[in-house]
Amino acid sequence: MGVSTLELVSSITSSLEQMGYEGFGEAGVKGRLYFRKRKEHAYNLAVVVWNGEQWINNILIWDYLRENPDFAKQYSDRKLSSLHKGITTLLAYSDEKADYVYSLLERARLEK
């Protein structure tokens, strides 16, 4: 979700909470607010500044993975490997894949 500032007014966070989302602040990723909803289905919501660095980086990686199915498969395998290692907390999961995500971002920038 793109916003003009990460200093969300209480009405936005209250609305998200009423929809069942829990807020976790930046949760290890500077420039992003992380919310999750765990009911019948699991949802993750990243709130970033519209057209800011996190917004642009996420779109670059998303586009790159769509255009490069081999790297998308590698990324998927890496994420599953983290779960199989027993990594289940958000921060540990983010740390586990951080280097790979950074390498994807660099590759996406070079090929843009």
Side-chain angles (χ1 to χ4, degrees), residues 38-87:
R38 300 292 187 261
K39 299 285 182 190
E40 180 181 343
H41 300 285
Y43 299 95
N44 298 317
L45 175 65
V47 179
V48 299
V49 172
W50 175 269
N51 282 330
E53 182 179 6
Q54 287 294 337
W55 180 274
I56 291 166
N57 289 348
N58 279 288
I59 290 174
L60 274 172
I61 290 173
W62 186 78
D63 286 345
Y64 185 78
L65 292 175
R66 286 190 53 171
E67 294 166 5
N68 297 277
D70 290 340
F71 284 102
K73 174 80 168 95
Q74 285 178 14
Y75 184 47
S76 174
D77 290 346
R78 236 183 138 96
K79 292 169 72 168
L80 287 172
S81 173
S82 296
L83 291 174
H84 291 206
K85 289 179 186 177
I87 297 171

Side-chain angles (χ1 to χ4, degrees), residues 19 26 43 52 63 97:
M19 290 187 289
E26 287 188 333
Y43 299 95
D63 286 345
K97 63 185 183 115

